[in-house]
Amino acid sequence: MAQKKDSATEALLLVPFFANMHPDEAEGLAQRLVMRRFNAGQIIFHHGDPGGLLYIIVKGKVKIAHSTPEGQEAFLAILGAGDFFGELALLDDSPRSATAEALAPTDTLTLHREDFIRYIRHNPDFSLHVLQTMAHHIRRLNNQISDIFFLDLPGRLARTLLQLAEQHGGSADGGMVIELSLTQTDLAEMTGATRVSVNKALGRFRRAKWIKIQGRRFTIIDQEALVNLIQISGGSVY
């Protein structure tokens, strides 16, 4: 039982909202977490559904996307173990602004908005940390919008790979491996391109020895080259 509590506390502290919490406070809030499991292909929530829960991924893979009534889809992110989503619902209790789908069998820990609000009311200083976290979130979204208008596909792909390495990267011989199972279709959706176009761009990156691909594992070998490519395309790295 103690090990289960420790695991939940560790998962909670991975979320930027709670990263600076005192361990004793985190343990108390972690007791409110509820495990929810999803099968591959299962929709966790739809765009427009009622909010109210924060999800922390323990294992698995989740796609976040925004769909229009006409069936068009804007890909927002692929998330893996240690990531979280649904945090906006903790703040305003509005309907979901995107759709979340499990791409693999996925285990999550969830926190209800009422428990989050109760904690803020008893810890006013915590509100400032939440605002700082949301400011960082907004800056990242602004960068994504900028990419659409100012970066060509190779620049967008380079930015996406660097961001995935920052979020999910681990050191490997001769580079940084993205610890997330990715398909070319995943990368195409993340960059707003076709799979064929992404395949060609990846081929260019691989021939230049900027990246290495083994199955669904991507390793960045020459980070500086990718950064330079983004800058040449007219974008900023972060």
Side-chain angles (χ1 to χ4, degrees), residues 27-28 39 44 53 57 88 131 152 201:
E27 183 176 345
N39 298 319
I44 298 172
L53 287 178
I57 302 174
L88 294 180
L131 290 174
D152 56 14

Side-chain angles (χ1 to χ4, degrees), residues 3-159:
Q3 185 177 359
K4 182 178 179 181
K5 285 185 178 180
D6 289 344
S7 298
T9 302
E10 290 172 4
L12 189 67
L13 290 173
L14 288 174
V15 180
F17 277 172
F18 309 109
N20 293 333
M21 290 178 70
H22 188 280
D24 290 341
E25 295 175 335
E27 183 176 345
L29 195 57
Q31 293 178 20
R32 299 287 186 177
L33 296 176
V34 176
M35 177 68 75
R36 286 179 167 83
R37 294 184 168 90
F38 303 93
N39 298 319
Q42 185 174 352
I43 298 298
I44 298 172
F45 55 73
H46 286 279
H47 174 231
D49 282 352
L53 287 178
L54 167 76
Y55 295 80
I56 305 170
I57 302 174
V58 177
K59 72 173 185 178
K61 182 177 173 185
V62 174
K63 178 176 79 171
I64 308 296
H66 179 87
S67 300
T68 67
E70 293 76 26
Q72 295 178 316
E73 186 176 76
F75 188 93
L76 301 178
I78 284 183
L79 306 176
D83 287 328
F84 64 96
F85 58 97
E87 69 275 17
L88 294 180
L90 296 184
L91 299 177
D92 61 5
D93 201 26
S94 293
R96 297 295 184 183
S97 59
T99 295
E101 177 186 354
L103 298 180
T106 298
D107 292 350
T108 66
L109 290 169
T110 61
L111 177 68
H112 200 280
R113 180 175 185 269
E114 291 179 1
D115 295 314
F116 176 75
I117 295 300
R118 186 180 301 113
Y119 180 81
I120 283 186
R121 285 175 177 163
H122 287 88
N123 300 271
D125 292 342
F126 180 66
S127 301
L128 178 60
H129 177 63
V130 170
L131 290 174
Q132 292 171 336
T133 302
M134 292 309 300
H136 177 75
H137 179 71
I138 292 169
R139 287 181 188 277
R140 181 171 58 81
L141 291 178
N142 285 342
N143 282 337
Q144 288 180 335
I145 294 171
S146 232
D147 287 352
I148 295 172
F149 290 101
F150 300 116
L151 290 182
D152 56 14
L153 172 58
R156 296 199 305 273
L157 183 58
R159 166 76 76 78

